[in-house]
Amino acid sequence: MPDNKPDIRSHRLGKGEIADNFGDLHPPLSRSEALIEADRCYFCYDAPCTIACPTGIDIPGFIQKIRSDNIRGSAHTILRENIMGGMCARVCPTEVLCEEACVRNSHEEKPVRIGLLQRYATDPIFTEGSALFARAATTGKRIAVVGGGPAGLSCAHRLAMLGHDVVVYHRDRKPGGLNEYGIAAYKVIDDFAQKEVDYILSIGGIELRGGAVMGVDFSLQQLRDAYDAVFIGIGLGSVNALGLPGEEMTGVESAIDYIATLRQSGDLGELPVGRRVVVIGGGMTAIDIAVQSKRLGAENVDLVYRRGPEQMGASRYEQELAQTNGVNIRRWAKPGGLLGDSHVTGVEFERTELDDEGRLRATGDRFTLAADTVFKAIGQAMDADVFGEGAEHLQLKNGRILVDSAQKTSLDDVWAGGDCVLGGDDLTVTAVQHGKLAAVDIDKRLRTN
Amino acid sequence: MANLNTEFLGIPSPNPFWLASAPPTDKAYNVNRAFEAGWGGAVWKTLGEDPHIVNVSGPRYSALHSNDRRVIGFNNIELITDRPLQTNLDEMRQVKRDWPDRALVASVMFPMNEQTWAKYLPMIEDTGADAFELNFGCPHGMSERGMGAAVGQVPEYIQMATEWAKKAATVPVIVKLTPNVTNILPPAKGALDGGADAVSLINTVNSIMRVNYDTLTMYPTTDGMGTHGGYCGEAVKPIALNMVAEIARTKETQALPISGIGGISDWRDAVDFLALGASNVQVCTAAMVYGFKIIDDLVDGLSNFLDDKQLTLDDLVGKAVPSVTDWQYLNLNYVEKAVIDQDLCIKCGRCHIVCEDTSHQAITNTVNGERRFEVIDEECVGCNLCVSVCPVDGCISMQQLTDGTDPRTGEPIRTEKRNWTMHPNNPMRKTD
């Protein structure tokens, strides 16, 4: 067994290396690159890419505007459906959404690089701050939005556009939710999340109240009493536990918390990182923490997932990204025990397989990985207690809020969206769509009542 | 390798590709490089009277680009040679001496008086030039001075100047025509009547490329002002082919040998011109966009094509001319329908939307709930729009109905031909 002294320290890499490792993962397209790429779009009818986009952006439409150098028009086409089109251009798993649907795949297996074109079209808007949207005549209606992430801000922006006044309550110091505190740093450089929030707020009519936690500072009922409607976009508050003895040892950390710290760090070199890192989980968060650990200078990073590549929440592209960054992905193994006394020294895993009926079972075959740090990235759960009294009629299912196709909850004046609703899928783009749909429905209800 | 040796008007050249009279043939340096690269001949940049003209010292060219900046069309306002006549004559003499196997043709442009032609043509012929090409085509600058297209637009002037040239020259005379006319036949007839040995066409088309979106002036300009230029390059090829075919298929003009010009960029373009009646071709824009090296593809592409088709160059010349006719003689009993190859279809839906929005609503977008594009024979008029817009080569084809009935009209498919001149809807029909 390895010695028990944990090897966790800062400055494993020099400033230059850190800067390189946390630069733009996909550098933006130059104008000539964008024009050539835009020329590859066939301008499909009822385009499969648009159908595959959760926010339904008219993709051939915005690409055609790139072709004609109508960049502001292109950005408007994107942002009118998805106000976080800038963020989505950076973080969307396009390989399983629009770019997977691109008809170019069928004869050359090389889709139009829609994500990068979307970034090309939207970047100037955030640099120049061009006002693309104006508010409708004021309605005098006030709506409370709980949560400052993609769902809440999308909802707030659309409501403001429609003439309503909005107050956004958000838990953290800065608005933006996972765009600000989650997501790998190399996907969102140069403080882009805050630039996007600033742009969203610039429409006017949106008031932010930071550090305001539902269930602590206010209750759902209080909001219902004070506002004409409420939108809940609180995401998932708590991190799932491994359920193993020793989980409280130092060195066993939540990937979500570490990424939040990393995203807020002014000097990434200062962040302590283990020499040997074990990540448990198979979603985007697992990939993000594994790759970022490696890029901070961890010598060895193992990512262990209990099933196969098809079942991983991370796309095939993300899995390959981890592998090309030197992360060892070990599939078909589940954690059986944490080793160590006060600080974790390793994890014991047991190999898994599917039985004849397709159920996962342990094989009894075990192996141990030495670790200075173990990151838990096995998902999050919604904390239902936050709704407090008066919320008994808020219907939940599988621990998430139940909503209809217009994002309305079982309560007449409460809508919800993003990861906290049943059907939420950890994607910024889906959360944005939920917020937009809710805003449209809220507007409809408030105007008819 | 097919034999590409040609004798246009008895002038031998190792292949049918000449450089057209234009900037690439302005001086010995360029022409020597062209011949080294393998060009079969060159029409020297148009000579004129001394004192020589002057060009602007600003933009002479501009282009119509695709998004990846491939040049689709090209525009110029350059005039004829801006060097002293004697300099050109000395260089031409030397080049012809150094390259006896290549065609060297002197392009000329003079004012409309016979004495000038009589004075200059013998001097120029003395260089050893194989022929003259009379520039009645340039649509900019020189036409304001009563030359170039100003002559080419008046058949009587063409005839007159051609007669002067024929009187002064002992070598063949080619008349270069302008496309800036409504009908190419009268100018061609003028050349023929004046005694021309051949015509060459087309020269460039009057054009303004665009405006400058910042200054909202035309683009490009010289000190803030611009003027129309001559348009050429790939974009003008169809215009040129029509004019070539008109001359080749019309009884009164078909005796004229044709040197085809207009947007020839690769060997297939040359096949177009040759099959539609040109005996050789001239190239400028493609060389100005890519350099002289393009001659490699022109020569071996044409040669490989002739080998594959087991044709000689002579066989190819005019091969397609009998297929060109007037609309009124097209067989109205002939029926085609589009057929989409589902294995090649990438489901972009372009065929559907263009047919739906702009044509005959003859292509589905959904079949049994699936995204699928199929031709509805009951609606398809066989217009070829879907074939034209489909991004996959060969995915949609037109297929003839040979028997049964046309599902669109309910009419039986008839094997006998019936054109408009016989059609019952034609009040002017020729009755039996």
Side-chain angles (χ1 to χ4, degrees):
Chain A
M1 278 307 294
D3 66 58
N4 284 348
K5 271 196 211 143
D7 183 355
I8 300 177
R9 62 184 180 88
S10 312
H11 301 297
R12 287 190 183 273
L13 300 178
K15 263 191 175 4
E17 273 180 292
I18 290 278
D20 286 348
N21 286 351
F22 288 87
D24 226 336
L25 180 62
H26 301 292
L29 298 177
S30 69
R31 178 168 174 275
S32 56
E33 284 173 316
L35 289 176
I36 292 169
E37 193 62 21
D39 225 18
R40 297 184 63 238
C41 173
Y42 284 138
F43 202 68
C44 294
Y45 164 74
D46 194 15
C49 52
T50 290
I51 296 168
C53 173
T55 55
I57 293 172
D58 174 7
I59 292 167
F62 91 69
I63 292 178
Q64 196 182 44
K65 292 179 183 185
I66 290 175
R67 274 209 288 236
S68 70
D69 261 343
N70 175 11
I71 301 302
R72 202 162 64 244
S74 182
H76 183 258
T77 298
I78 295 162
L79 299 177
R80 75 180 178 214
E81 294 299 344
N82 180 344
I83 193 61
M84 290 192 161
M87 181 60 73
C88 290
R90 292 162 167 77
V91 304
C92 259
T94 51
E95 64 279 2
V96 294
L97 297 170
C98 52
E99 291 181 17
E100 183 181 51
C102 179
V103 301
R104 282 257 179 198
N105 286 308
S106 38
H107 64 163
E108 57 181 312
E109 293 177 2
K110 191 168 165 253
V112 174
R113 290 184 289 170
I114 298 166
L116 281 170
L117 286 173
Q118 182 165 316
R119 179 164 172 193
Y120 174 80
T122 50
D123 269 357
I125 298 303
F126 299 105
T127 319
E128 296 157 13
S130 317
L132 295 178
F133 304 97
R135 296 191 66 193
T138 181
T139 61
K141 304 285 186 188
R142 297 181 74 239
I143 295 120
V145 167
V146 189
L153 289 175
S154 161
C155 185
H157 185 266
R158 186 55 58 121
L159 287 169
M161 246 175 90
L162 293 167
H164 308 293
D165 290 317
V166 187
V167 177
V168 176
Y169 296 86
H170 63 96
R171 179 190 64 188
D172 300 308
R173 193 170 62 79
K174 294 190 206 168
L178 287 174
N179 289 354
E180 176 60 38
Y181 292 94
I183 295 175
Y186 44 75
K187 291 180 184 170
V188 201
I189 66 160
D190 295 336
D191 206 19
F192 181 77
Q194 287 311 300
K195 286 179 189 160
E196 189 169 63
V197 170
D198 290 346
Y199 184 78
I200 290 171
L201 297 180
S202 69
I203 192 171
I206 304 172
E207 183 194 330
L208 287 187
R209 293 192 190 162
V213 182
M214 185 151 71
V216 178
D217 300 306
F218 57 87
S219 70
L220 177 58
Q221 189 56 48
Q222 281 172 322
L223 296 182
R224 296 178 68 192
D225 293 341
Y227 292 91
D228 295 297
V230 179
F231 176 81
I232 302 171
I234 55 172
L236 303 173
S238 58
V239 175
N240 290 341
L242 295 170
L244 295 174
E247 210 164 333
E248 68 292 341
M249 278 187 289
T250 57
V252 180
E253 299 199 34
S254 147
I256 294 275
D257 293 346
Y258 189 87
I259 292 172
T261 307
L262 186 153
R263 286 292 306 278
Q264 299 306 311
S265 161
D267 178 1
L268 292 172
E270 289 288 340
L271 282 177
V273 60
R275 184 167 67 87
R276 296 158 307 181
V277 172
V278 171
V279 177
I280 301 170
M284 288 296 300
T285 303
I287 299 284
D288 283 354
I289 191 65
V291 173
Q292 288 181 116
S293 297
K294 197 73 190 156
R295 289 185 173 207
L296 284 171
E299 185 181 293
N300 189 70
V301 178
D302 289 292
L303 185 155
V304 188
Y305 177 60
R306 64 199 169 117
R307 290 175 183 267
E310 308 305 328
Q311 293 80 31
M312 283 179 85
S315 69
R316 189 57 81 115
Y317 168 80
E318 291 287 341
Q319 296 178 41
E320 282 169 12
L321 176 73
Q323 286 165 328
T324 53
N325 274 272
V327 172
N328 313 312
I329 298 186
R330 298 168 185 265
R331 303 179 181 98
W332 300 109
K334 63 171 192 159
L338 296 165
L339 310 178
D341 299 327
S342 61
H343 189 95
V344 70
T345 57
V347 187
E348 187 184 75
F349 289 95
E350 186 173 7
R351 295 193 197 282
T352 54
E353 62 182 13
L354 294 181
D355 67 16
D356 292 343
E357 278 150 33
R359 285 174 307 209
L360 193 71
R361 73 174 176 207
T363 63
D365 182 15
R366 290 164 198 275
F367 64 94
T368 299
L369 295 175
D372 300 298
T373 306
V374 174
F375 283 117
K376 298 182 282 185
I378 54 168
Q380 292 175 271
M382 191 184 73
D383 185 359
D385 296 340
V386 299
F387 301 120
E389 55 181 290
E392 298 81 28
H393 299 297
L394 182 67
Q395 224 179 319
L396 306 184
K397 191 174 176 190
N398 299 340
R400 311 272 177 109
I401 303 171
L402 195 64
V403 290
D404 65 13
S405 61
Q407 303 299 130
K408 202 179 77 62
T409 68
S410 52
L411 301 177
D412 259 356
D413 54 350
V414 179
W415 284 254
D419 290 349
C420 67
V421 302
L422 190 70
D425 61 3
D426 289 342
L427 294 180
T428 299
V429 64
T430 303
V432 170
Q433 177 70 355
H434 287 173
K436 180 178 86 184
L437 291 176
V440 170
D441 198 50
I442 291 169
D443 178 70
K444 201 171 90 186
R445 301 287 178 106
L446 293 184
R447 284 179 195 277
T448 43
N449 292 345
Chain B
M1 285 287 279
N3 177 11
L4 296 186
N5 282 304
T6 49
E7 285 209 5
F8 186 76
L9 303 179
I11 307 159
S13 62
N15 61 56
F17 300 103
W18 293 0
L19 281 167
S21 170
T25 59
D26 185 37
K27 53 188 184 297
Y29 180 84
N30 306 72
V31 176
N32 282 326
R33 287 179 66 84
F35 287 167
E36 280 159 23
W39 288 83
V43 184
W44 201 272
K45 171 111 175 151
T46 306
L47 308 172
E49 277 187 296
D50 277 335
H52 59 80
I53 60 87
V54 290
N55 271 301
V56 294
S57 296
R60 299 177 193 181
Y61 310 125
S62 56
L64 178 71
H65 289 115
S66 71
N67 263 14
D68 59 359
R69 288 191 63 83
R70 209 168 62 81
V71 173
I72 297 164
F74 197 74
N75 170 284
N76 88 89
I77 59 163
E78 187 171 290
L79 303 182
I80 62 174
T81 183
D82 56 9
R83 306 189 310 157
L85 179 63
Q86 195 57 50
T87 306
N88 281 305
L89 298 182
D90 293 346
E91 290 186 7
M92 288 170 70
R93 187 185 308 276
Q94 188 62 45
V95 167
K96 185 63 201 179
R97 215 172 267 172
D98 293 343
W99 300 93
D101 67 324
R102 311 299 169 95
L104 187 73
V105 176
S107 172
V108 294
M109 183 188 284
F110 294 113
M112 287 298 285
N113 67 70
E114 185 172 3
Q115 299 87 327
T116 312
W117 294 79
K119 173 183 165 191
Y120 284 109
L121 262 51
M123 288 167 59
I124 297 167
E125 189 174 320
D126 191 53
T127 60
D130 296 303
F132 285 105
E133 185 181 75
L134 314 188
N135 180 343
F136 298 151
C138 281
H140 52 271
M142 303 312 291
S143 56
E144 297 169 16
R145 307 173 199 180
M147 292 179 271
V151 176
Q153 287 165 334
V154 184
E156 294 78 4
Y157 292 174
I158 295 175
Q159 182 178 343
M160 200 188 309
T162 307
E163 284 168 359
W164 297 336
K166 282 298 290 181
K167 235 191 268 180
T170 66
V171 294
V173 170
I174 305 163
V175 171
K176 185 166 179 179
L177 300 175
T178 174
N180 298 301
V181 293
T182 46
N183 182 353
I184 197 65
L185 294 175
K189 188 72 174 24
L192 185 65
D193 293 345
D197 298 286
V199 287
S200 56
L201 70 161
I202 57 174
N203 203 305
T204 56
V205 183
N206 284 335
S207 56
I208 289 178
M209 296 304 279
R210 62 177 176 93
V211 300
N212 177 319
Y213 309 114
D214 296 321
T215 58
L216 290 179
T217 55
M218 71 166 280
Y219 174 88
T221 59
T222 303
D223 192 22
M225 299 294 285
T227 189
H228 81 264
Y231 194 46
C232 54
E234 283 176 51
V236 308
K237 185 181 81 169
I239 298 170
L241 290 178
N242 173 55
M243 291 183 164
V244 166
E246 284 299 294
I247 293 172
R249 78 184 180 94
T250 301
K251 199 178 281 176
E252 292 75 19
T253 52
Q254 66 191 178
L256 276 169
I258 299 168
S259 184
I261 313 169
I264 294 160
S265 305
D266 68 33
W267 63 269
R268 285 168 302 196
D269 303 321
V271 170
D272 294 331
F273 277 92
L274 295 168
L276 286 169
S279 302
N280 80 354
V281 294
Q282 299 183 29
V283 177
C284 168
T285 310
M288 291 189 71
V289 172
Y290 299 109
F292 291 140
K293 193 174 182 295
I294 56 162
I295 188 63
D296 291 348
D297 169 60
L298 288 168
V299 165
D300 69 26
L302 178 61
S303 173
N304 290 333
F305 173 77
L306 291 172
D307 287 345
D308 290 348
K309 297 285 179 194
Q310 296 189 311
L311 291 172
T312 66
L313 193 55
D314 279 348
D315 294 337
L316 177 61
V317 172
K319 190 90 176 158
V321 173
S323 70
V324 183
T325 186
D326 294 345
W327 193 98
Q328 63 180 327
Y329 300 121
L330 301 179
N331 180 11
L332 297 172
N333 279 348
Y334 179 84
V335 180
E336 280 188 357
K337 301 284 178 190
V339 178
I340 301 173
D341 182 335
Q342 296 296 333
D343 292 333
L344 290 178
C345 177
I346 59 171
K347 297 186 165 54
C348 71
R350 289 260 297 276
C351 55
H352 162 78
I353 196 59
V354 296
C355 191
E356 194 71 13
D357 280 355
T358 71
S359 286
H360 297 86
Q361 300 75 48
I363 298 180
T364 65
N365 60 43
T366 306
V367 177
N368 298 329
E370 297 277 303
R371 183 178 176 87
R372 188 175 167 94
F373 303 94
E374 286 180 0
V375 176
I376 304 163
D377 284 348
E378 288 74 11
E379 306 296 339
C380 178
V381 303
C383 73
N384 211 38
L385 176 63
C386 53
V387 175
S388 307
V389 304
C390 177
V392 182
D393 191 26
C395 175
I396 310 182
S397 55
M398 300 302 296
Q399 288 181 15
Q400 184 192 354
L401 296 191
T402 51
D403 50 26
T405 56
D406 178 350
R408 181 174 71 90
T409 58
E411 295 284 326
I413 301 296
R414 294 188 172 86
T415 48
E416 76 275 13
K417 294 180 192 301
R418 181 172 69 178
N419 63 41
W420 180 242
T421 66
M422 318 165 192
H423 200 279
N425 285 23
N426 180 2
M428 315 281 283
R429 72 180 172 279
K430 291 163 187 154
T431 47
D432 305 323

